[in-house]
Amino acid sequence: MPNDVKAIVSVVTLLAALAFAYWEATIARTVPAWFVIGFAIFAVVAMWIFPEAGVKKGDMPPKKPR
């Protein structure tokens, strides 16, 4: 995933998590609010640290003719 797309997804994820955590906190549920914030931070960090699954050119065995 390109870095600019990854940055946009990160910002949207964090904003959505903050909005949901704020909503949870307004109805006196602070524990789920902190869980949502923590999970969102974990998800964004994991997206930046771990590479995407994919196949490189030399990894697949050659195709056998039928």
Side-chain angles (χ1 to χ4, degrees), residues 7-63:
I8 292 169
V9 170
S10 298
V11 169
V12 169
T13 300
L14 292 175
L15 288 176
L18 286 175
F20 187 73
Y22 175 76
W23 177 72
E24 284 285 336
T26 58
I27 56 175
R29 291 183 171 175
T30 57
V31 173
W34 285 110
F35 177 77
V36 166
I37 291 171
F39 185 75
I41 292 170
F42 169 76
V44 169
V45 169
M47 179 175 58
W48 283 93
I49 290 178
F50 298 111
E52 290 184 69
V55 178
K56 295 178 185 169
K57 279 192 171 182
D59 289 347
M60 295 294 291
K63 292 182 181 179

